[in-house]
Amino acid sequence: MVNIKTPVIIINSKAYLESTLDNEVRLVKICEEIRNEHGVNIMYAPQMVNLAYIAKNFNIPCLSQHVDAIEPGAKTGYTSLESIKAAGAIGSIINHSEHVITFREAEFIINRAKNLELIICACADNINIAKSLAALNPEMIAVEPPELIGTGIPVSKAKPEIIEKTVEEVYKINKNVLVLCGAGISTGEDVKRAIELGAKGVLLSSSFVKAKNPREKLLDLISKI
Ligand code: G3P
C-alpha cells in the first residue's frame, strides 16, 4: 500500500483559461513553494496538455485529471496509464463528475495502475458510488456532490453528513482507502471542518485556480491543518 501523507490537498485545475500553460506555470510555482515552505502534502492535477511539462519542471506530485481504460496502442486521442507515468505523473483522478467512466473502466484502471505503481483518486458523486469504488481498492476516494462544485458553498458546511457517512461506509468495506471530499472548498475553515468530519484531505479547484490572489488563497486553505 502506498503511503500518502495526510491531510492531502489535491488541486484540480480543470480546463479553465486560468490554467492554460503560462497561467498554470504561475499556479504550480505557488503550490511548489508553499508545499516546500509548509510541508503540506499538496498534489496538483494540471490540464492534460500541460502534464509532462509541469511534472518534469516542478517538484510537486502531479496527477492527471483523467486517464482512459486502454492498453497502449492504436487509440487515437486516448491517454493510457503508461503515458501519464512516462510524463511524470504519480497517478490519476478518475470518474470526476465532469468526466465519468463506467465501473468496469474504473476496475481496469485501478488494477492496471497498481501494476504500474501509480495511485488513483476515484471520485464519487455520492455515498453509494463511493462504496462501489471502495471495493476496487483505489488509494483515495473523493466524495463530491456535483451540485456544490464551483459554487463556493463548501460540502463540509452544506452537507457534512455526506462526508461522515462516506467515511463510515467506505471504511466498513476497505480500511486502506483514504476518503477525501470536495466541492466548494474555499477557506482554511472549510478544510479544517472536512478533516474534523473524518476526511483525510480535500479536492479543490475554483477557489484557488480562479482566485484574484492564488498565493494568499492557498495559504488560507492550508492555514488550519
Ligand atoms: O475536483 C475538485 C472539484 O470538482 C471541486 O471544484 O471548484 O468546487 O473546488 P470546486
Side-chain angles (χ1 to χ4, degrees):
M1 197 65 208
V2 174
N3 182 22
I4 297 170
K5 181 186 173 190
T6 58
V8 55
I9 294 185
I10 300 177
I11 295 174
N12 170 9
S13 74
K14 298 195 176 181
Y16 290 117
L17 285 174
E18 291 87 346
S19 59
T20 49
L21 184 58
D22 292 346
N23 295 329
E24 186 120 75
V25 165
R26 281 190 284 274
L27 293 173
V28 171
K29 271 183 184 165
I30 291 167
C31 294
E32 182 187 51
E33 287 163 7
I34 291 176
R35 173 186 162 90
N36 293 340
E37 289 161 11
H38 296 267
V40 177
N41 190 10
I42 298 169
M43 297 184 182
Y44 194 90
Q47 293 205 30
M48 191 69 86
V49 291
N50 303 335
L51 177 59
Y53 182 81
I54 298 295
K56 301 281 185 193
N57 289 284
F58 295 93
N59 179 26
I60 188 157
C62 286
L63 299 170
S64 60
Q65 294 180 14
H66 167 79
V67 69
D68 293 297
I70 60 161
E71 296 180 354
K75 305 277 184 189
T76 303
Y78 288 84
T79 304
S80 67
L81 284 154
E82 289 80 358
S83 290
I84 66 165
K85 186 175 178 77
I90 62 161
S92 184
I93 294 169
I94 63 169
N95 198 46
H96 191 283
S97 60
E98 296 155 357
H99 200 147
V100 296
I101 60 176
T102 66
F103 183 78
R104 286 170 61 91
E105 287 171 326
E107 186 176 35
F108 176 97
I109 292 166
I110 291 167
N111 290 336
R112 195 175 187 89
K114 287 194 191 310
N115 293 332
L116 291 165
E117 295 181 336
L118 292 169
I119 65 173
I120 295 295
C121 176
C123 293
D125 291 7
N126 57 51
I127 295 169
N128 288 331
I129 294 175
K131 287 167 68 178
S132 303
L133 291 168
L136 300 178
N137 197 27
E139 284 68 30
M140 297 177 275
I141 289 176
V143 62
E144 287 200 327
E147 67 276 13
L148 294 176
I149 291 175
T151 66
I153 301 168
V155 60
S156 48
K157 287 191 182 138
K159 293 196 166 188
E161 70 286 350
I162 197 170
I163 302 171
E164 286 179 312
K165 194 76 179 138
T166 301
V167 169
E168 181 189 342
E169 292 302 316
V170 164
Y171 288 159
K172 280 181 192 169
I173 299 165
N174 186 338
K175 293 194 183 312
N176 295 322
V177 173
L178 297 177
V179 176
L180 282 57
C181 66
I185 300 288
S186 306
T187 67
E189 192 55 41
D190 300 340
V191 177
K192 175 173 177 275
R193 188 74 191 108
I195 293 165
E196 286 169 351
L197 291 163
K200 296 296 184 190
V202 296
L203 214 54
L204 63 93
S205 185
S206 55
S207 64
F208 173 71
V209 175
K210 301 179 80 171
K212 284 190 177 57
N213 185 328
R215 174 184 299 280
E216 194 175 275
K217 173 55 68 179
L218 188 52
L219 286 171
D220 173 41
L221 284 162
I222 68 164
S223 61
K224 295 183 165 54
I225 54 178

